[in-house]
Amino acid sequence: MDFSVALARKQQTLMQRARILQAIRAFFIAAEFLEVETPQRLPGNAPELHIDAEPSGPWFLQTSPELCMKRLLAAGCPRLFQISRCWRQGERGRRHLPEFTLLEWYRGGADYHALMEDCRKLLSHLVPGGRLQWQGREIDLASEWQRLTVDEAFQRYAGCSCLEALKQDRFDQLLVETVEPCLGLETPTLLCDYPLPLGALARRKPDDPRWAERFELYVAGIELANGFSELCDPVEQVRRFAAEEEARRLAGKPPYPVPTRFLRELGQLKSAAGIALGIDRLVMLLTNQEDIAEVVAFTPEDL
Amino acid sequence: MYTCSDLKKGLKILIDGEPHVIAQFDFTKPGKGQALYKCKLRNMLTGALFDRTYRSGESFEPANLVERDMQYLYQDDNGYVFMDQKTYDQTTIAEEVLGDDRYFLIDNMEVKVLMFGERGIGVTLPNFVNLRVTRSDPWVKGDTAAGNNKPATVESGYTLQVPSFVEEGTLIQIDTRTGEYVTRVKE
């Protein structure tokens, strides 16, 4: 495909993208969030078995700005947000770019329910009419959003318990192929309460230790945001990082240094909640595009 | 060997000893979960299409295929017969494996035959072929739904859309890559 032809086709969408970014900033600044810029090149990321960072000299490019943002939160910023570039090796598909734009925001003294409410307000701010048209579907943003626990969604759409699926190593495939296509079709869906092993930085649910206070926002079957009540217990966090690092080591992935300063400062946090939202996917939804390549000027293939 | 990160549309791999081509490909991944590589695969021996999802860590053997210059001879009960003009080796390709390409074969036409070992499994045709229209009803004026086009059938049995002025008996040029009408051929 000729680059100038593609650009001509994308021009309107890119104009909309710029306006969406401005509107997002205006939303958070009006809500008295501090906009921050944290380093994108780090000694290491929070270890995750299935997320591979791009090496940059002896360090790595960030896969998410979460570690630095939580340190700012622990140091006393009550509310903060960032729109930054993140890199994840090998992720390229109709809804994935290996270099992408992530919005993250954090609230001290709050839990994941506050983030769900932020999501509702943010989308209403971006779609004033409250009705989103995407690929022949109309999604009602103004009515009460569907709320399902992960287990309810698995029982309803995959016909099994999500813990059973996890035990059989079928969780991700069932989620992607069977559950996700049913989510966020009438209203957005808040998919809540993940099995604890799938919430490495999330707080355990106080009334049921099988689940982590983690949720994902789905619109039109697209995974748009992932948020949780932050785990603020350094001892528990050290234990979980060690388990994740060990899983990475067994899978032959490069080790990250232990984020000692993050872990030390985490102890100063009483409670907090944080969320990451994929800007490129949000722009896809708001501009009625089906392929993520349509919402960026350059894809890796254009370089 | 290929790994999952090599998978893409058009890649040819061996599955259970048979060559397959990836007809459609998508990468999916739940944010914190495993990468899933969704492939629609075509068995290059039988033409059968099926879906398969792979996970990172799996590996694939490349299907070693070579192209050989051959001439199309004739059609028999088993399929379409081609011959290497230097060695006189012959190979037969079944109708369902050739798909629509069979409509564009003309006797003695030189093509590139894709070989899996000694077995022909596909052809690369010249980009354009000339075929005679054997049937086309006169254009009905006012049939605006079809624009200025009408259906026509050529000597090989292939049916395509042609402009209204093309009559039965006309020799036309067809683009074999798209199967579409290009122009009338002056005779």
Side-chain angles (χ1 to χ4, degrees):
Chain A
M1 174 68 69
D2 187 30
F3 183 64
S4 60
V5 173
L7 188 66
R9 186 183 66 234
K10 292 177 185 179
Q11 210 141 33
Q12 275 306 107
T13 307
L14 293 176
M15 294 273 278
Q16 277 174 278
R17 180 185 176 109
R19 281 195 289 267
I20 292 163
L21 282 168
Q22 278 212 330
I24 293 170
R25 288 208 157 85
F27 172 83
F28 282 104
I29 287 167
E32 296 182 326
F33 278 70
L34 172 67
E35 179 168 15
V36 294
E37 292 175 281
T38 59
Q40 300 188 342
R41 192 170 163 272
L42 306 167
N45 285 282
E48 300 229 23
L49 177 58
H50 298 299
I51 298 181
D52 294 328
E54 202 64 64
S56 170
W59 285 12
F60 297 91
L61 298 181
Q62 67 176 2
T63 57
S64 147
E66 60 197 333
L67 293 183
C68 285
M69 291 189 76
K70 276 177 82 169
R71 287 184 62 190
L72 289 171
L73 201 59
C77 285
R79 287 176 299 279
L80 63 160
F81 80 103
Q82 175 162 214
I83 296 172
S84 66
R85 282 309 174 99
C86 294
W87 291 261
R88 295 181 183 180
Q89 254 183 10
E91 301 196 2
R92 179 73 182 99
R94 274 186 315 136
R95 289 169 192 176
H96 288 85
L97 289 167
E99 176 178 352
F100 62 102
T101 305
L102 203 58
L103 162 67
E104 292 209 358
W105 74 93
Y106 290 79
R107 281 180 174 275
D111 68 8
Y112 68 160
H113 294 105
L115 300 175
M116 296 182 205
E117 186 57 18
D118 286 338
C119 287
R120 201 187 55 72
K121 287 185 181 152
L122 175 64
L123 286 197
S124 310
H125 171 74
L126 296 173
V127 185
R131 310 193 81 80
L132 177 70
Q133 313 283 339
W134 192 75
Q135 305 293 311
R137 197 172 271 290
E138 183 173 280
I139 294 130
D140 178 3
L141 304 177
S143 301
E144 195 177 337
W145 290 6
Q146 184 188 38
R147 196 136 144 185
L148 286 173
T149 67
V150 174
D151 200 46
E152 283 166 352
F154 269 70
Q155 301 280 7
R156 186 176 303 181
Y157 302 117
C160 68
S161 125
C162 72
L163 294 173
E164 195 52 40
L166 196 62
K167 209 177 292 168
Q168 296 172 359
D169 195 21
R170 292 170 67 221
F171 183 91
D172 290 324
Q173 191 159 352
L174 281 174
L175 179 66
V176 165
E177 294 185 344
T178 313
V179 178
E180 284 188 348
C182 304
L183 303 180
L185 302 184
E186 310 284 327
T187 69
T189 297
L190 296 161
L191 188 66
C192 313
D193 301 342
Y194 279 67
L196 191 70
L198 301 182
L201 289 101
R203 182 173 78 186
R204 200 185 281 262
K205 242 180 127 59
D207 55 342
D208 191 340
R210 291 175 299 167
W211 313 108
E213 285 189 352
R214 171 184 163 199
F215 78 100
E216 295 233 11
L217 168 62
Y218 284 87
V219 179
I222 295 182
E223 178 194 10
L224 190 57
N226 172 46
F228 35 85
S229 305
E230 300 287 347
L231 176 64
C232 297
D233 173 356
V235 178
E236 171 75 2
Q237 188 68 82
V238 166
R239 203 186 55 70
R240 291 202 207 164
F241 275 0
E244 205 71 17
E245 266 298 295
E246 176 61 9
R248 285 175 54 83
R249 193 185 63 78
L250 290 173
K253 308 205 161 170
Y256 292 134
V258 177
T260 41
R261 303 182 71 149
F262 165 81
L263 289 166
R264 194 169 59 227
E265 292 161 20
L266 190 62
Q268 298 160 18
L269 260 182
K270 295 285 164 288
S271 65
I275 179 167
L277 182 151
I279 290 289
D280 308 286
R281 292 188 189 169
L282 177 65
V283 175
M284 282 171 70
L285 286 164
L286 298 182
T287 59
N288 195 20
Q289 293 297 338
E290 209 269 327
D291 191 323
I292 201 163
E294 292 299 315
V295 304
V296 289
F298 287 90
T299 64
E301 298 77 33
D302 292 321
L303 298 176
Chain B
M1 291 292 262
Y2 295 123
T3 65
C4 279
S5 54
D6 297 314
L7 296 177
K8 61 177 181 189
K9 190 175 167 180
L11 190 77
K12 298 179 179 81
I13 57 175
L14 279 185
I15 300 173
D16 303 327
E18 297 192 343
H20 289 71
V21 61
I22 300 177
Q24 275 175 39
F25 174 75
D26 196 25
F27 168 92
T28 62
K29 183 178 189 293
K32 305 237 171 224
Q34 303 170 48
L36 299 169
Y37 302 82
K38 296 173 80 169
C39 299
K40 191 176 275 298
L41 291 152
R42 177 180 287 110
N43 182 316
M44 298 178 78
L45 301 184
T46 64
L49 264 181
F50 58 96
D51 293 312
R52 198 168 280 185
T53 300
Y54 296 104
R55 298 180 190 190
S56 17
E58 298 193 66
S59 59
F60 310 89
E61 213 175 313
N64 282 319
L65 305 173
V66 289
E67 278 195 326
R68 227 160 122 174
D69 289 318
M70 288 193 156
Q71 190 177 40
Y72 169 59
L73 297 183
Y74 56 84
Q75 183 187 4
D76 68 14
D77 291 345
N78 297 322
Y80 295 76
V81 181
F82 300 84
M83 185 178 73
D84 185 320
Q85 288 169 281
K86 290 195 201 94
T87 63
Y88 304 106
D89 290 339
Q90 290 190 10
T91 188
T92 303
I93 306 180
E95 183 173 313
E96 61 272 19
V97 177
L98 271 182
D100 275 358
D101 283 348
R102 71 181 189 274
Y103 292 120
F104 308 127
L105 290 170
I106 295 170
D107 289 353
N108 304 321
M109 176 188 266
E110 291 187 1
V111 297
K112 287 191 186 302
V113 175
L114 193 61
M115 304 294 294
F116 175 62
E118 293 305 303
R119 189 166 166 188
I121 59 170
V123 293
T124 306
L125 297 164
N127 290 345
F128 301 101
V129 295
N130 297 338
L131 288 165
R132 196 169 300 282
V133 175
T134 51
R135 213 197 109 135
S136 188
D137 295 330
W139 184 57
V140 183
K141 208 172 179 171
D143 184 2
T144 49
N148 285 331
N149 286 338
K150 59 172 187 172
T153 304
V154 294
E155 54 194 303
S156 61
Y158 181 67
T159 300
L160 74 168
Q161 290 289 320
V162 298
S164 53
F165 54 76
V166 173
E167 294 165 358
E168 280 183 9
T170 309
L171 192 64
I172 61 169
Q173 190 177 69
I174 300 173
D175 187 327
T176 62
R177 295 160 296 184
T178 60
E180 285 168 9
Y181 169 90
V182 181
T183 183
R184 278 182 295 187
V185 180
K186 287 204 187 81
E187 292 184 80

